[in-house]
C-alpha cells in the first residue's frame, strides 16, 4: 500500500459482511434449531468460577477474592505481585473480550479480528503508533517496580487464558472462532500501557475545535467565527483556582498576532491578502476540503471514552470537613464518557492483608479492564477524583513535502519512515508506509484527499512552494514516551498531599484535573493539582494549523519542552472550603500574571458554576453538606439555557392554537429536566430548533449532520443573492455525535451574548415552503416553537400532556463490537435498554445529547462515587452497567436501573465491612 492509501468508503459494508457468520452463530446461542444445547454449553462455559479454590501459577501465597451481591471483587494478598497477579486473573474472568478488543485497537490490529473493514482504522492507528510508544515507555521510562507489577498482572491474565479458547472465554470469542481462525494471544505488559494512549486520544483537547474553526472559513467571516467562540465569562463562572498563574486566553481572536487565522497579518499561515482576495477565497476552500477529510478520518477512530469536543466532560468536587455533617471532607466524582456495554469502568478493591514494605496497597475504586491498579478512588489515607483538564496538547502542522523529504528551517530534511504490515482475517495482508517529520507523523498519508492538504492554503508570500501540496503532521504529547503508568501506582499508595502531588508530576497524559481529600487533622484537608505534559509553544497558540517549515512555530525541546509542575495551578485548603472541577477554566484571566497557556478552549462553566451555587446555598448561614446532599447534587437536572430563554419564549405572541398549547407547558416550569417532564421535552425541542435555524443551517456541510441537505448560497459567491441563478444543494458530512451546533455550553454563551441584539443577522433565516423568512430574534423563536411543536407531535403524539423528556431522551447500552452495527436481532441479543433519562446537555446530571442530530443520549456520567473521609465504609458508588462483560451474566447490567434513578450502592472498604457483604468467596492458591 502506498503512503497515501485511502480508507475504503465501503468500510461499514465490509465490516457487516464479516459479521454474517457471527450472526448465524449467535442465532444458535439464542436457541434457534439445535442451538438449545449450544446456548447452555457456550454461555455457561465462559462464566467465571467465583467460589472454591483455584490454582494460580506464580503466587507466593494464597489470595482471597471476595465478591459482593453485585459481583464486585475485593482481593486480599500478602505481596504486591500476588495482588496484581490476582487482579489480572479476576479481570480476565469478567472482561477478557473487552480487554482483547482494546489491545487490538490500540495496536492497530482490529483487522486480525474483524476483517478488511477495519484496515482504514488500523492504518491510522499504526500511523499514530500508540503501541510503539507504549513499548518505548515500558522499555525506557517506567520504574523497575512498575514493570514488575505489569508483568505480574500479565501473568495473571495468561494464567486464566491457559487452556481456554473460544466459548471458554466468551460468547463473542466462540462466534469469532467459527467465522475465522482467530485465537487469543497471551497478554503482555505493553498491552496494559497502550490503553493509556486510547485514554489520551479521546481526551486530547481542542483538536476538533482547531479543525472546525478552519472549516468555518468557507461560510463565515472572521467576525462571525469569533461570535461562535466567545470568551470565557470569568465574571459569572468561577475558575477552579481563584488567582492562579496560567494564561487562560480569551477565546477565539482572529485579530491576534499569532492566531493563524487566514487573512490576518502575523497569523500562523501568514497573510492571505498578499495573494489577493480571489486567491484567499480559493485558499480557504482548499484548506477546508483537506481539513474536512481529516475530520472524517478522525470520526473513524473508535471514541471509546466519548465524542471529543466541548460537550464531553466530567464533574468532581470536594468539600472541607468544616462544611460537612461528618466533620471530614466529602469527595464526589462522575466522569462523563460514552455509554457502552460493559461499562468502561471496573469496580474493585486491592488490599494487602498487612500494609508493609513488601505489600504497599490498600486501595479501592474504579479501574480499567486490562490495567493494574486503581484509576479513581481512595486508599486508607487519601481519596482522589479526576476530570478532563482540556489542555491543548495537539497541534496540526502544514508540511511542505517532496520525494526527498520535508522542508524545515529552509532545508530539506529526510523523513523518518517505517513500514507496517496489517494482517487481515480472511484476506491478504496490507502494507503501509508511515512518514514522520520533526513535528510528528503525517496523518494525511492515510487519505488521497489529505495528501493534497494545503494545496491552496493561505500562506504568506515568503512561504515555500506548494509543489504537490502541503501535508498535515500531528504533534501530540502522548506520542512521546512518558511515565503515567508509574503515576497510577504512586497515586494508589500516596499518604498525603505531598505524595499526591509527587504522583501527579508523572501523570503526563491524558492531562487531568486531580482533586484530593484526606482525613488528617481536625477537619481533614482538600486540594487540587493540574498535572500533565503541556507543551510550551514558540509562536502560535494551537488554535489553527501552523507552518511546519518555520522553526518559530515548533514546540520547545529539552528541559523547556513542557510547563514544569511548579508553574501549573494547584490549591490546598482554599478559604472558601471547597474545590469544584467540571472542565471550566482553571485560573482567572490575567495576562500579566500568567506566563503559560493551557488552552483557549475551556468548557464554559455551566456545570461547574451550578455546583458552586449548590454548595454555597447549602453551606450559607452555617449549613452543612451530607453524603446524601453530594449524591443529590450529582443528579441535579437544572438547565441554565432554559432559565435564560424560557421567560422570552413565554412572552412571544403565538397565533397557532396548537403551538400556543405547547407554549403553555413552559408556564411555571422550574427549568429542571426530569424524565417525566413535558415542559423539558418541549423546551429542549425548541432549543434544538433555535440552534438549527440560527446557526446550524449557516455552517458548512463538513460540520452538519451527514445526510441532512440544504439549498445554500454557493461558498464562492461574490455578488448579491438576487444575482444568483439558483442555490446549491449541499448535504451534511459529519457524524451525528460530533456535528455542530451540538448545544453544549459554548452555545449557551453564544446565545447569551446575542440575546439582547434582537436584529442580529444570526436571527435571520430564509423563507421555506411552509414558513416566512425571519428577520428578528422573536420571529425566529416563534418559528422554532412551531417547528418543535410538530416535531414532537410526530415523535410523541398530538396530546402534549403525554409528552415526556425521558421518551425523547433515551439511553441504549450497546456492546461495543458485535452489538453496534449488526441487524436488529444481534443488537437485541447483546444490547440492553432503552432507559428514559432525565438530565441533559451541560446539566450537572450530564446525560449529553447533540442538538444537531437529535435527543438520544450519547454520553453519560459513566460512574458516580461519593467518598466519606470520616468513615470510608459509608462511602457510596455505582457503575453504569455491571461487573461482568458476559452478556448473560446476572452482573451484566445489574446496576443500570439504580444508576438511572440516581441511587448509589454501599461501598465497603475495611475487611470487616467487606466480609459482611461477601456473597462469593474464592481462594487462589500457588
Amino acid at each position: 500500500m502506498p503512503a497515501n492509501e485511502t480508507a475504503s468508503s465501503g468500510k461499514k459494508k465490509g465490516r457487516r459482511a464479516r459479521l454474517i457468520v457471527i450472526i448465524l452463530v449467535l442465532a444458535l446461542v439464542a436457541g434457534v434449531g439445535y442451538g438449545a444445547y449450544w446456548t447452555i454449553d457456550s454461555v455457561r462455559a465462559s462464566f467465571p468460577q467465583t467460589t472454591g479454590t483455584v490454582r494460580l501459577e506464580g503466587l507466593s501465597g494464597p489470595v482471597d477474592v471476595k465478591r459482593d451481591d453485585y459481583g464486585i471483587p475485593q482481593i486480599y494478598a500478602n505481596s504486591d505481585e500476588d495482588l496484581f497477579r490476582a487482579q489480572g486473573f479476576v479481570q480476565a474472568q469478567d472482561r477478557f473480550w473487552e480487554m482483547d478488543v482494546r489491545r487490538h485497537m490500540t495496536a492497530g490490529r482490529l483487522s486480525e479480528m474483524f476483517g478488511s473493514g477495519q484496515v482504514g482504522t488500523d492504518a491510522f492507528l499504526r500511523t499514530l503508533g500508540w503501541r510503539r510508544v507504549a513499548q518505548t515507555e515500558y522499555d525506557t521510562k517506567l520504574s523497575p517496580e512498575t514493570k514488575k507489577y505489569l508483568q505480574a498482572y500479565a501473568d495473571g491474565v495468561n494464567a486464566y487464558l491457559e487452556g481456554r479458547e473460544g466459548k471458554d472465554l466468551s460468547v463473542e470469542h466462540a462466534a469469532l472462532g467459527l467465522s475465522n481462525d482467530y485465537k487469543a494471544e497471551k497478554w503482555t505488559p505493553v498491552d496494559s500501557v497502550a490503553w493509556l494512549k486510547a485514554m489520551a486520544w479521546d481526551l486530547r483537547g481542542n483538536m476538533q475545535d482547531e479543525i472546525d474553526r478552519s472549516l468555518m472559513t468557507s461560510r463565515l467571516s472572521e467576525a462571525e467565527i469569533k461570535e461562535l467562540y466567545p470568551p470565557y465569562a470569568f465574571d459569572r463562572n468561577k475558575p477552579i483556582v481563584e488567582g492562579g498563574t496560567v494564561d487562560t486566553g480569551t477565546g477565539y481572536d482572529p485579530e491576534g498576532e499569532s492566531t493563524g487565522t487566514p487573512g490576518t497579518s502575523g497569523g500562523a499561515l501568514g497573510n492571505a491578502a498578499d495573494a489577493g482576495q480571489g486567491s484567499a477565497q480559493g485558499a480557504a476552500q482548499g484548506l477546508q476540503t483537506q481539513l474536512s477529510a481529516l475530520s472524517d478520518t478522525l470520526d473513524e477512530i473508535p471514541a471509546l471514552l466519548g465524542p471529543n469536543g466541548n460537550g464531553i466532560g466530567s464533574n468532581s468536587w470536594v468539600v472541607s470537613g468544616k462544611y460537612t455533617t461528618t466533620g471530614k471532607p466529602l469527595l464526589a466524582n462522575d466522569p462523563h464518557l460514552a455509554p457502552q456495554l460493559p461499562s468502561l469502568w471496573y469496580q474493585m478493591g486491592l488490599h494487602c492483608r498487612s500494609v508493609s514494605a513488601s505489600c504497599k496497597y490498600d486501595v479501592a475504586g474504579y479501574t480499567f479492564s486490562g490495567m493494574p491498579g486503581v484509576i479513581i478512588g481512595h486508599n486508607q489515607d487519601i481519596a482522589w477524583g479526576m476530570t478532563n483538564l482540556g489542555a491543548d496538547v495537539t497541534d496540526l502542522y502544514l508540511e511542505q513535502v517532496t520525494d526527498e523529504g520535508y522542508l524545515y528551517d529552509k532545508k530539506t530534511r529526510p523523513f523518518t519512515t517505517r513500514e507496517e504490515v496489517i494482517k487481515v482475517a480472511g484476506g491478504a495482508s496490507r502494507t503501509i508506509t508511515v512518514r514522520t517529520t520533526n513535528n510528528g507523523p503525517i496523518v494525511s498519508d492515510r487519505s488521497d484527499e489529505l495528501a493534497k492538504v494545503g494545496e491552496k492554503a493561505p500562506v504568506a508570500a515568503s512561504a515555500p512552494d506548494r509543489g504537490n501540496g502541503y501535508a498535515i503532521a500531528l504533534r501530540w504529547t502522548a506520542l512521546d514516551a512518558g511515565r503515567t503508568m508509574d503515576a497510577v501506582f504512586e497515586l494508589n499508595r500516596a499518604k498525603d498531599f505531598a505524595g499526591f502531588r509527587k504522583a501527579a508530576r508523572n501523570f503526563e497524559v491524558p492531562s487531568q484535573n486531580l482533586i484530593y481529600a484526606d482525613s488528617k487533622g481536625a477537619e481533614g484537608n482538600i486540594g487540587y493539582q493540574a498535572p500533565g505534559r503541556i507543551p510550551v509553544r514558540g509562536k502560535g497558540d494551537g488554535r489553527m494549523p501552523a507552518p511546519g517549515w518555520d522553526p518559530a512555530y515548533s514546540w520547545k525541546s529539552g528541559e523547556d519542552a513542557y510547563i514544569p509542575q511548579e508553574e501549573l495551578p494547584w490549591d490546598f485548603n482554599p478559604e472558601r472550603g471547597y474545590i469544584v472541577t467540571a472542565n471550566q477554566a482553571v485560573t482567572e484571566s490575567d495576562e500579566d500574571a500568567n506566563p503559560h497557556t493551557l488552552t483557549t478552549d475551556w468548557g464554559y462553566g455551566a456545570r461547574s458554576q451550578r455546583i458552586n451555587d449548590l454548595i454555597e446555598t447549602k453551606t450559607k448561614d452555617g449549613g452543612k453538606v451530607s453524603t446524601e446532599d453530594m449524591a443529590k447534587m450529582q443528579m441535579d437536572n437544572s438547565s441554565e439555557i432554559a432559565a435564560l430563554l424560557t421567560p422570552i419564549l413565554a412572552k412571544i405572541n403565538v397565533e397557532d392554537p396548537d403551538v400556543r398549547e405547547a407554549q403553555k407547558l413552559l408556564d411555571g416550569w422550574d427549568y429542571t429536566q426530569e424524565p417525566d417532564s413535558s415542559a423539558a421535552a418541549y423546551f429542549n425541542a425548541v432549543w434544538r430548533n433555535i440552534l438549527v435555524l440560527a446557526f446550524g443551517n449557516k455552517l458548512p456541510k463538513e460540520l452538519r449532520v451527514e445526510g441532512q441537505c440544504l439549498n445554500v448560497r454557493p461558498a464562492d459567491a461574490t455578488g448579491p443573492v438576487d444575482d444568483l441563478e439558483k442555490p446549491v444543494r449541499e448535504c451534511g458530512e459529519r457524524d451525528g455525535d460530533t456535528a455542530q451546533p451540538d448545544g453544549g455550553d459554548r452555545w449557551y454563551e453564544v446565545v447569551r451574548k446575542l440575546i439582547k441584539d434582537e436584529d442580529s443577522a444570526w436571527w435571520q433565516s430564509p423563507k421555506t415552503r411552509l414558513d416566512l423568512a425571519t428577520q428578528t430574534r422573536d420571529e425566529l423563536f416563534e418559528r422554532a416553537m412551531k417547528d418543535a411543536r410538530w416535531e414532537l407531535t410526530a415523535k410523541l403524539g398530538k396530546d402534549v400532556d403525554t409528552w415526556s423528556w425521558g421518551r425523547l431522551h433515551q439511553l441504549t447500552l450497546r456492546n461495543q463490537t458485535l452489538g453496534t452495527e449488526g441487524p436488529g436481532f444481534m443488537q437485541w441479543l447483546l444490547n440492553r435498554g432503552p432507559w428514559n433519562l432525565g438530565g441533559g446537555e451541560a446539566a450537572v446530571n450530564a446525560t449529553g445529547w447533540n442538538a444537531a442530530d437529535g435527543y438520544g443520549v450519547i454520553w453519560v456520567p459513566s460512574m458516580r462515587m461519593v467518598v466519606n473521609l470520616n468513615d470510608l465504609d459509608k462511602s457510596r458508588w455505582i457503575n453504569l452497567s455491571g461487573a461482568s462483560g458476559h452478556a448473560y451474566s446476572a452482573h451484566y447490567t445489574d446496576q443500570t436501573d439504580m444508576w438511572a434513578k440516581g441511587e448509589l450502592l454501599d461501598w465497603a472498604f475495611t475487611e470487616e465491612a467487606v466480609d459482611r457483604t461477601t456473597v462469593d468467596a474464592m481462594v487462589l492458591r500457588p
Side-chain angles (χ1 to χ4, degrees):
M1 183 187 297
N4 64 341
E5 174 69 13
T6 303
S8 170
S9 61
K11 172 184 175 183
K12 291 186 177 180
K13 290 181 180 179
R15 188 184 302 167
R16 289 191 177 111
R18 292 294 306 159
L19 291 175
I20 291 175
V21 175
I22 296 173
I23 294 164
L24 294 176
V25 173
L26 291 177
L28 297 179
V29 178
V32 178
Y34 66 85
Y37 168 78
W38 216 82
T39 300
I40 297 170
D41 184 47
S42 292
V43 174
R44 291 184 178 176
S46 62
F47 283 8
Q49 178 181 341
T50 57
T51 60
T53 300
V54 176
R55 293 188 63 82
L56 179 54
E57 189 84 20
L59 290 177
S60 63
V63 175
D64 293 314
V65 181
K66 304 175 182 181
R67 294 179 183 260
D68 66 10
D69 200 35
Y70 292 89
I72 299 170
Q74 306 278 344
I75 301 176
Y76 292 84
N78 291 326
S79 75
D80 293 337
E81 287 179 90
D82 282 358
L83 196 62
F84 296 120
R85 183 174 281 105
Q87 184 183 14
F89 183 88
V90 170
Q91 286 193 339
Q93 281 188 305
D94 284 337
R95 299 279 193 98
F96 185 70
W97 170 256
E98 176 191 14
M99 294 165 60
D100 203 13
V101 172
R102 266 187 199 165
R103 65 161 162 184
H104 279 80
M105 188 273 288
T106 58
R109 296 175 56 201
L110 288 171
S111 299
E112 295 179 24
M113 297 183 79
F114 302 112
S116 59
Q118 295 290 347
V119 169
T121 298
D122 284 346
F124 191 84
L125 293 171
R126 296 284 187 98
T127 299
L128 295 181
W130 291 355
R131 171 78 186 200
R132 292 173 57 86
V133 178
Q135 184 71 59
T136 301
E137 287 183 355
Y138 184 79
D139 291 341
T140 66
K141 293 290 185 178
L142 299 182
S143 71
E145 186 176 55
T146 294
K147 293 166 75 169
K148 180 175 66 175
Y149 296 160
L150 287 164
Q151 186 62 60
Y153 180 91
D155 290 344
V157 175
N158 292 328
Y160 177 74
L161 295 180
E162 186 69 31
R164 290 183 172 90
E165 61 180 45
K167 66 182 181 181
D168 297 322
L169 295 175
S170 71
V171 169
E172 295 94 332
H173 277 105
L176 197 64
L178 291 179
S179 66
N180 59 48
D181 58 357
Y182 175 80
K183 295 187 184 301
E185 300 173 353
K186 287 188 174 182
W187 193 264
T188 73
V190 180
D191 292 332
S192 296
V193 178
W195 175 238
L196 294 169
K197 303 307 170 186
M199 289 174 58
W201 176 255
D202 282 355
L203 300 173
R204 62 191 177 273
N206 75 336
M207 185 171 171
Q208 192 65 59
D209 287 323
E210 185 176 343
I211 293 169
D212 286 355
R213 281 191 287 261
S214 298
L215 293 172
M216 287 179 183
T217 59
S218 70
R219 286 282 172 196
L220 303 177
S221 69
E222 292 171 356
E224 288 169 331
I225 296 172
K226 183 177 181 179
E227 287 184 299
L228 300 187
Y229 289 87
Y232 187 93
F234 288 97
D235 59 336
R236 188 174 65 254
N237 296 338
K238 294 179 181 178
I240 296 172
V241 178
E242 295 182 17
T245 59
V246 177
D247 180 16
T248 60
T250 56
Y252 180 70
D253 182 8
E255 297 180 2
E257 184 174 286
S258 60
T259 62
T261 307
T264 60
S265 61
L269 300 184
N271 190 350
D274 291 345
Q277 182 179 4
S279 62
Q281 290 172 342
Q285 294 163 28
L287 181 58
Q288 176 208 32
T289 299
Q290 311 313 326
L291 289 172
S292 173
L294 176 58
S295 182
D296 291 343
T297 301
L298 299 181
D299 278 344
E300 298 296 325
I301 308 306
L304 293 183
L305 307 187
N308 185 267
N310 178 258
I312 195 68
S314 304
N315 300 324
S316 71
W317 65 95
V318 60
V319 181
S320 166
K322 180 179 179 180
Y323 297 106
T324 67
T325 59
T326 67
K328 297 291 184 180
L330 294 171
L331 184 150
N333 198 185
D334 54 280
H336 307 157
L337 304 171
Q340 54 189 275
L341 191 58
S343 167
L344 183 77
W345 298 107
Y346 185 92
Q347 298 155 285
M348 73 186 319
L350 301 170
H351 308 279
C352 290
R353 293 191 180 96
S354 177
V355 176
S356 65
S358 61
C359 199
K360 307 178 187 68
Y361 298 89
D362 189 14
V363 61
Y366 297 85
T367 187
F368 298 124
S369 300
M371 275 183 60
V374 167
I375 304 300
I376 294 174
H378 69 82
N379 60 28
Q380 72 274 31
D381 296 306
I382 74 167
W384 67 95
M386 297 184 190
T387 63
N388 195 23
L389 177 64
D392 185 359
V393 295
T394 60
D395 279 345
L396 297 175
Y397 282 90
L398 293 176
E399 302 284 3
Q400 202 273 346
V401 301
T402 66
D403 292 339
E404 287 74 37
Y406 63 97
L407 187 67
Y408 181 74
D409 196 17
K410 300 180 181 180
K411 297 179 181 178
T412 298
R413 311 292 175 93
F415 294 110
T416 300
T417 63
R418 69 178 188 272
E419 287 193 345
E420 296 274 354
V421 178
I422 300 173
K423 297 179 181 179
V424 181
S429 297
R430 315 285 180 87
T431 300
I432 63 169
T433 299
V434 177
R435 302 185 296 172
T436 302
T437 74
N438 63 317
N439 291 315
I442 295 185
V443 291
S444 53
D445 277 352
R446 301 284 72 84
S447 165
D448 283 336
E449 283 187 297
L450 284 172
K452 302 175 184 177
V453 165
E455 186 173 291
K456 298 180 180 179
V459 293
S462 59
D465 181 74
R466 289 185 173 88
N468 292 326
Y470 301 135
I472 287 184
L474 172 64
R475 187 79 166 94
W476 179 30
T477 55
L479 299 185
D480 297 332
R483 296 184 59 193
T484 302
M485 200 69 238
D486 282 345
V488 171
F489 294 113
E490 290 170 351
L491 271 177
N492 283 199
R493 60 178 184 259
K495 296 181 179 300
D496 51 29
F497 191 61
F500 168 80
R501 292 194 72 204
K502 181 177 181 293
R505 182 184 298 274
N506 289 328
F507 204 101
E508 296 168 330
V509 293
S511 186
Q512 299 286 284
N513 296 305
L514 291 175
I515 61 167
Y516 167 92
D518 67 40
S519 59
K520 295 175 174 60
E523 297 169 341
N525 300 293
I526 63 174
Y528 165 82
Q529 176 68 56
R533 180 186 284 167
I534 301 171
V536 177
R537 293 174 172 84
K539 293 180 66 175
D541 59 11
R543 298 176 187 177
M544 300 282 279
W549 51 83
D550 188 343
Y553 289 89
S554 296
W555 289 7
K556 301 296 184 182
S557 59
E559 294 183 358
D560 299 326
Y562 303 108
I563 302 173
Q565 189 189 45
E566 294 75 17
E567 297 177 30
L568 288 170
W570 62 282
D571 211 349
F572 187 65
N573 289 334
E575 185 176 348
R576 64 186 177 277
Y578 61 89
I579 301 170
V580 176
T581 84
N583 317 113
Q584 80 271 39
V586 174
T587 62
E588 296 172 350
S589 179
D590 184 350
E591 294 183 1
D592 293 330
N594 297 328
H596 301 298
T597 296
L598 297 182
T599 186
T600 57
D601 290 305
W602 304 111
Y604 279 78
R607 285 179 287 108
S608 61
Q609 192 55 45
R610 176 63 177 171
I611 297 168
N612 274 296
D613 292 343
L614 290 170
I615 295 172
E616 289 183 4
T617 299
K618 189 66 183 179
T619 57
K620 71 179 180 180
D621 302 325
K624 303 283 187 178
V625 177
S626 68
T627 303
E628 292 72 23
D629 292 329
M630 298 284 276
K632 185 177 179 180
M633 291 177 192
Q634 288 180 322
M635 292 300 293
D636 184 81
N637 288 329
S638 179
S639 170
E640 178 184 294
I641 193 63
L644 176 68
L645 295 184
T646 298
I648 299 172
L649 296 172
K651 293 178 181 178
I652 293 176
N653 184 22
V654 177
E655 295 183 2
D656 187 315
D658 291 310
V659 179
R660 193 161 62 246
E661 180 185 32
Q663 182 186 33
K664 289 180 180 179
L665 293 173
L666 303 178
D667 292 347
W669 181 42
D670 62 359
Y671 317 131
T672 59
Q673 303 167 97
E674 297 297 330
D676 60 355
S677 171
S678 54
Y682 183 57
F683 172 79
N684 282 315
V686 174
W687 169 236
R688 166 173 143 75
N689 281 278
I690 287 173
L691 290 169
V692 170
L693 291 170
F695 309 105
N697 291 349
K698 297 163 188 173
L699 296 177
K701 64 182 183 297
E702 292 85 3
L703 273 68
R704 299 201 314 270
V705 177
E706 182 180 3
Q708 292 185 3
C709 302
L710 295 171
N711 293 323
V712 300
R713 174 180 170 85
D716 58 352
T718 57
V721 175
D722 293 342
D723 290 346
L724 301 176
E725 293 183 4
K726 63 179 181 179
V728 173
R729 186 73 168 168
E730 284 188 353
C731 297
E733 299 176 353
R734 180 69 63 84
D735 178 84
D737 287 356
T738 57
Q740 293 293 336
D742 61 20
D745 60 358
R746 172 165 69 88
W747 293 99
Y748 291 12
E749 201 64 26
V750 169
V751 171
R752 185 188 298 277
K753 291 185 175 299
L754 293 172
I755 202 71
K756 293 182 180 179
D757 185 0
E758 298 186 30
D759 297 316
S760 167
W762 290 109
W763 306 130
Q764 298 174 16
S765 60
K767 177 182 178 180
T768 68
R769 183 172 58 86
L770 299 176
D771 291 289
L772 297 174
T774 68
Q775 298 296 325
T776 67
R777 179 197 71 188
D778 286 357
E779 286 177 358
L780 185 138
F781 281 14
E782 181 180 3
R783 183 160 156 186
M785 293 170 73
K786 177 181 177 182
D787 290 349
R789 184 3 162 163
W790 298 118
E791 181 185 4
L792 294 198
T793 296
K795 292 179 181 294
L796 302 178
K798 187 174 182 180
D799 185 354
V800 300
D801 292 331
T802 67
W803 292 356
S804 71
W805 175 227
R807 286 175 60 201
L808 276 179
H809 190 54
Q810 293 186 325
L811 167 69
T812 298
L813 293 179
R814 293 182 171 87
N815 180 289
Q816 287 301 289
T817 50
L818 305 185
T820 55
E821 296 190 15
F825 170 77
M826 185 176 70
Q827 295 182 24
W828 172 83
L829 196 67
L830 295 175
N831 300 341
R832 300 292 182 269
W835 284 267
N836 296 346
L837 299 185
E841 188 68 30
V844 178
N845 182 21
T847 54
W849 55 286
N850 189 309
D853 189 41
Y855 306 97
V857 176
I858 61 173
W859 55 73
V860 295
S862 56
M863 61 80 159
R864 299 186 184 99
M865 75 175 193
V866 179
V867 181
N868 182 334
L869 273 298
N870 182 59
D871 186 345
L872 293 171
D873 287 333
K874 292 183 179 178
S875 302
R876 311 296 302 283
W877 63 352
I878 199 77
N879 206 350
L880 174 63
S881 59
S884 179
H886 299 287
Y888 303 98
S889 166
H891 304 308
Y892 193 46
T893 56
D894 57 341
Q895 297 185 51
T896 309
D897 286 344
M898 291 177 289
W899 172 91
K901 296 173 184 176
E903 298 173 359
L904 300 174
L905 297 173
D906 293 334
W907 181 356
F909 178 70
T910 64
E911 188 166 10
E912 295 79 9
V914 168
D915 286 343
R916 286 195 299 269
T917 62
T918 295
V919 173
D920 290 337
M922 176 177 67
V923 179
L924 301 175
R925 293 194 178 277

